[in-house]
């Protein structure tokens, strides 16, 4: 009990307790049985045992003795009042020790009242009317029996549902083999479609790199570049069957820059880029997209500042790209068309199942038509054949890397020379 308890509130609580016990302890006045004579004998001829049974079943049962020890109850209530007065007096003047002692005394007296109440309830339970108690028990049993019947009905319904589900499961199990076979066939069709899409995109990448290398070489020639020296810087000591084949060295240079640091783990969004007829429009519409960042990064890698300065006599286009913009010059448009196909190829490779793996071919490797194809059709035709014929050719340099997807292969493009 809090020491700062409200006296008026506590007083009302005590009065409430007393009034409750007064109601609880109320009992009926002792009546007089009209069947008894003045000397206490039964006037009627009924058996005493019947009278006893009737008395037990009568709601107006006579209680010869009060069920509560009233003197003890009154003493306890009086002691509780005295404790409360001590509790009030302890506040003026304020004495914490007296307040604590009075508080404990009040709690003890309240516990004593609770004991009296429990004793009263116990006596009432023992003296309860047997007939009314039996009726209550019978009613409770009937309620439980109805509940049990309801549960039995629900159980039968659930059993029926279980039986139907088992039959449905059996039917599905019988259908599973045929469904699995259809799924496998459809999966193979989807896989073939995905591989065909990837292979076709690979061809587009090869063509786009070739198309971009043309204006690059033209600008180098027009700017006074020594193409033989430049090709030798890219791929040294290469034996070319024709002087025009040096263009493949420049294509290999562009490929290395475009595929450098390639990651097939990322998820690329290519739908909007494929749908757009003009990739510059896609860059304008999505200036902060990953594709825009890819174009900006790769352009700065492919086109060296000295190269651009010799082409255009300034670095305006480079600064424009560095600023996050995309010029509509013919040279940059040719670059973006190529970059779009490389981006699409990377996007498809990222979602291929099984996983796509990129591989390269080292210089000096023996030609194998399983992993390689020659960029020159005449040499490709000559090199393809039996193992002995293939052994006469070696790889001078790789133009475009290859891809392995499951058991299928997208062959790397290489430039060959005879041993």
């Amino acid at each position: 009990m809090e020491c700062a308890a409200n006296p008026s509130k506590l007083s009302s609580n005590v009065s409430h307790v007393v009034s409750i016990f007064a109601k609880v302890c109320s009992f009926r006045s002792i009546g007089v049985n009209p069947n008894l004579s003045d000397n206490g004998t039964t006037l009627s001829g009924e058996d005493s045992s019947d009278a006893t049974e009737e008395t037990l079943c009568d709601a107006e049962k006579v209680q010869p003795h009060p069920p509560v020890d009233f003197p003890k109850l009154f003493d306890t209530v009086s002691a509780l009042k005295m404790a409360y007065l001590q509790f009030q007096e302890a506040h003026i003047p304020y004495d914490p020790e007296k307040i604590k002692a009075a508080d404990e005394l009040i709690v003890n007296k309240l516990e004593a009242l609770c004991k009296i109440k429990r004793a009263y309830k116990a006596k009432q339970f023992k003296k309860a009317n047997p007939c009314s108690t039996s009726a209550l028990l019978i009613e409770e049993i009937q309620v439980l029996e109805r509940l049990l019947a309801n549960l039995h009905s629900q159980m039968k319904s659930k059993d029926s549902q279980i039986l139907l589900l088992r039959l449905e499961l059996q039917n599905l199990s019988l259908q599973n083999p045929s469904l699995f076979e259809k799924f496998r066939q459809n999966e193979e069709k989807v896989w073939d479609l995905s591989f065909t899409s990837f292979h076709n995109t690979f061809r587009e990448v090869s063509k786009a790199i070739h198309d971009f290398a043309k204006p690059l070489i033209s600008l180098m020639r027009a700017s006074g570049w020594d193409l033989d020296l430049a090709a030798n810087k890219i791929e040294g000591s290469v034996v070319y069957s024709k002087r025009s084949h040096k263009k493949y060295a420049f294509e290999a240079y562009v490929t290395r820059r475009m595929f450098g640091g390639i990651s097939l783990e990322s998820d690329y969004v290519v739908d909007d880029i494929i749908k757009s007829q003009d990739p510059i429009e896609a860059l304008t519409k999505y200036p902060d997209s990953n594709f825009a960042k890819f174009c900006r990064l790769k352009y700065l890698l492919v086109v060296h500042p000295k190269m651009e300065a010799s082409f255009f006599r300034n670095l305006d286009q480079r600064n424009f790209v560095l600023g996050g913009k995309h010029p509509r010059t013919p040279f940059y448009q040719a670059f973006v068309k190529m970059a779009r196909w490389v981006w699409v190829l990377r996007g498809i490779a990222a979602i291929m199942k099984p996983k796509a793996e990129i591989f390269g071919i080292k210089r000096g490797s023996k030609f194998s038509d399983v992993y390689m194809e020659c960029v020159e059709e005449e040499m490709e035709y000559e090199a393809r054949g039996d193992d002995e014929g293939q052994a006469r050719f070696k790889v001078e340099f790789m133009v475009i890397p290859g891809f392995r997807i499951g058991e299928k292969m997208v062959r790397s493009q290489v430039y060959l020379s005879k041993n």
Side-chain angles (χ1 to χ4, degrees):
M1 178 178 293
E2 297 293 334
C3 293
N6 190 339
S8 60
K9 184 177 179 180
L10 186 55
S11 177
S12 62
N13 288 338
V14 173
S15 301
H16 180 65
V17 171
V18 174
S19 63
I20 290 175
F21 276 98
K23 291 179 181 180
V24 170
C25 298
S26 63
F27 60 98
R28 299 181 181 276
S29 300
I30 300 175
V32 179
N33 192 334
N35 294 327
L36 296 178
S37 61
D38 293 340
N39 58 2
T41 59
T42 304
L43 297 178
S44 64
E46 295 180 356
D47 187 78
S48 61
S49 59
D50 294 337
T52 302
E53 183 178 352
E54 183 179 357
T55 303
L56 288 174
C57 297
D58 190 0
E60 300 292 335
K61 182 182 176 183
V62 176
Q63 296 184 2
H65 301 287
V68 180
D69 188 352
F70 279 99
K72 184 178 180 180
L73 175 62
F74 292 146
D75 291 343
T76 304
V77 172
S78 299
L80 178 61
K81 290 182 177 180
M82 291 299 298
Y84 175 64
L85 290 175
Q86 293 177 13
F87 181 78
Q88 288 182 317
E89 292 174 353
H91 283 76
I92 305 173
Y94 186 83
D95 190 336
E97 294 296 329
K98 291 184 179 181
I99 290 175
K100 183 178 179 181
D103 181 75
E104 293 178 354
L105 183 58
I106 290 174
V107 171
N108 290 335
K109 297 306 177 184
L110 287 174
E111 290 178 351
L113 286 175
C114 290
K115 289 181 181 180
I116 295 173
K117 179 180 178 181
R118 286 195 294 269
Y120 171 77
K121 285 187 174 182
K123 290 181 180 179
Q124 290 295 100
F125 180 78
K126 290 180 181 180
K127 296 179 180 180
N129 192 322
C131 295
S132 60
T133 303
S134 300
L136 291 173
L137 290 174
I138 292 172
E139 183 179 355
E140 186 175 354
I141 291 172
Q142 290 175 349
V143 171
L144 293 175
E145 286 178 345
R146 288 194 294 270
L147 178 61
L148 182 60
N150 187 25
L151 291 175
H152 276 300
S153 176
Q154 293 181 12
M155 185 176 67
K156 290 181 179 179
S157 176
K158 296 295 181 183
D159 288 340
S160 300
Q161 293 179 11
I162 291 172
L163 181 60
L164 292 175
L165 291 173
R166 283 179 178 173
L167 293 174
E168 186 177 353
L169 178 61
Q170 290 177 359
N171 292 332
L172 292 175
S173 298
L174 294 174
Q175 296 175 9
N176 273 346
S178 59
L179 291 174
F180 179 79
E181 181 62 24
K182 290 181 180 179
F183 173 77
R184 187 184 63 80
Q185 294 174 359
N186 291 334
E187 190 177 36
E188 289 179 354
K189 292 180 181 179
V190 173
W191 156 239
D192 290 338
L193 178 62
S194 299
F195 180 82
T196 301
S197 300
F198 183 86
H199 192 269
N200 292 339
T201 305
F202 179 84
R203 292 298 178 191
E204 292 293 340
V205 170
S206 176
K207 182 179 182 299
I209 291 175
H210 178 75
D211 292 344
F212 175 72
K214 284 183 179 180
L216 181 67
I217 295 172
S218 298
L219 287 171
M220 292 177 70
R221 184 183 289 112
S223 302
W225 282 65
D226 187 338
L227 296 182
D228 294 336
L229 179 62
N232 190 57
K233 287 286 186 181
I234 297 170
E235 296 291 346
S237 304
V238 175
V239 179
Y240 294 97
S241 58
K242 294 181 181 180
R243 187 173 184 272
S244 61
H245 289 177
K246 291 185 178 181
K247 64 182 180 181
Y248 296 118
F250 295 100
E251 291 182 17
Y253 164 80
V254 173
T255 299
R256 291 173 191 171
R257 296 297 187 274
M258 295 303 296
F259 282 86
I262 188 172
S263 172
L264 302 183
E265 300 295 333
S266 301
D267 184 15
Y268 296 89
V269 179
V270 299
D271 291 345
D272 293 331
I273 299 171
I274 293 176
K275 291 177 182 178
S276 177
Q277 295 294 328
D278 184 2
I280 295 292
E281 292 182 3
L283 294 174
T284 304
K285 188 175 181 180
Y286 306 101
D288 298 325
S289 65
N290 289 333
F291 176 58
K293 296 176 183 177
F294 175 78
C295 290
R296 183 162 55 251
L297 174 64
K298 293 302 180 180
Y299 177 81
L300 299 176
L301 286 174
V302 172
V303 184
H304 193 273
K306 291 183 180 180
M307 186 184 293
E308 186 173 327
S310 65
F311 292 168
F312 310 114
R313 301 294 184 267
N314 57 58
L315 297 177
D316 293 347
Q317 185 167 266
R318 189 177 193 84
N319 293 331
F320 202 70
V321 174
L322 281 170
K325 299 180 180 179
H326 304 278
R328 288 186 173 272
T329 62
F331 181 71
Y332 189 76
Q333 285 181 333
F335 167 80
V336 171
K337 287 180 181 179
M338 174 195 64
R340 177 176 68 168
W341 282 115
V342 176
W343 176 264
V344 171
L345 183 71
R346 295 173 68 177
I348 297 176
I351 60 175
M352 289 293 292
K353 292 181 180 180
K355 180 181 177 181
E357 298 178 353
I358 189 171
F359 66 88
I361 305 297
K362 293 182 179 180
R363 183 175 183 176
S365 301
K366 292 183 179 180
F367 176 74
S368 171
D369 60 359
V370 177
Y371 302 99
M372 314 171 201
E373 62 178 335
C374 184
V375 290
E376 273 297 317
E377 292 183 1
E378 293 181 2
M379 194 174 295
E380 167 74 11
Y381 180 78
E382 185 179 354
R384 296 188 66 178
D386 55 14
D387 294 340
E388 185 178 349
Q390 294 183 27
R392 293 186 295 110
F393 293 87
K394 69 175 183 178
V395 176
E396 287 290 346
F397 59 86
M398 181 185 69
V399 180
I400 300 178
F403 293 86
R404 182 184 292 104
I405 307 172
E407 297 179 355
K408 295 190 176 183
M409 200 76 59
V410 177
R411 296 183 298 168
S412 172
Q413 294 185 0
V414 296
Y415 184 77
L416 300 176
S417 65
K418 291 184 179 180
N419 288 326

